[in-house]
Amino acid sequence: MNLVEKLVKADTNKAYELKKGTFKSKRLAELIGEKEPVEVQIREIPQRKVNDLMAMQYSSKGNFQIERTFDAKLMSIVEGVVEPALNDKDLLTHFNAQSPKALAEVLFGAEVTALSDAIMEISGVVDDSDVKN
């Protein structure tokens, strides 16, 4: 059986499924009074959206702007965190956050980079320095 024949027999739903994972947050544990890290449910970000997030870090002239990286990380969290739902109106109001992005910054603080990295990893984005030829 060749590859085309195998693909025709494949479950098409699998092609549209997004990978899921968890991130253990010490920050959220502190906020809710838990001693052990709290599991945050995360999911893969579709590649077209990943490209959009990466592009946020560049000027219209194509120059990388490091000051935009934090916002790109926050947006990856907004896109990749499933639970807690960062667009929940009650949660936004409770933390006086004007947007899901602002809520992500309030809730995750110093964990923003680690959480964003976890989401990007399950989204297939790897650090080029780790790739061996």
Side-chain angles (χ1 to χ4, degrees):
M1 185 181 317
N2 68 31
L3 185 55
V4 171
E5 291 169 333
K6 289 177 183 179
L7 286 169
V8 169
K9 291 182 177 190
D11 180 358
T12 57
N13 291 326
K14 286 184 179 181
Y16 298 98
E17 289 176 1
L18 298 175
K19 294 177 193 166
K20 295 177 179 155
T22 58
F23 175 82
K24 295 198 183 234
S25 174
K26 292 178 184 176
R27 169 91 171 139
L28 288 188
E30 290 173 10
L31 288 174
I32 63 173
E34 300 277 329
K35 293 188 191 255
E36 296 297 317
V38 174
E39 281 195 359
V40 175
Q41 301 301 313
I42 59 175
R43 71 167 175 231
E44 173 185 3
I45 301 172
Q47 289 303 299
R48 195 170 291 275
K49 191 62 170 177
V50 168
N51 288 348
D52 292 344
L53 293 171
M54 300 279 208
M56 287 178 63
Q57 301 173 87
Y58 291 86
S59 71
S60 59
K61 294 182 181 180
N63 297 320
F64 179 74
Q65 296 184 310
I66 196 161
E67 65 273 11
R68 294 184 179 181
T69 59
F70 192 70
D71 283 331
K73 289 175 183 184
L74 288 171
M75 289 308 298
S76 72
I77 290 170
V78 169
E79 293 292 329
V81 169
V82 176
E83 179 66 29
L86 298 176
N87 61 353
D88 182 275
K89 289 183 184 172
D90 292 335
L91 206 51
L92 288 162
T93 301
H94 183 72
F95 284 96
N96 197 28
Q98 299 301 311
S99 67
K101 182 173 102 171
L103 181 59
E105 185 172 2
V106 168
L107 292 181
F108 298 107
E111 293 179 331
V112 165
T113 296
L115 177 52
S116 175
D117 288 351
I119 292 166
M120 287 301 175
E121 184 177 329
I122 67 169
S123 299
V125 177
V126 295
D127 183 352
D128 288 344
S129 64
D130 292 339
V131 176
K132 309 271 190 268
N133 288 330

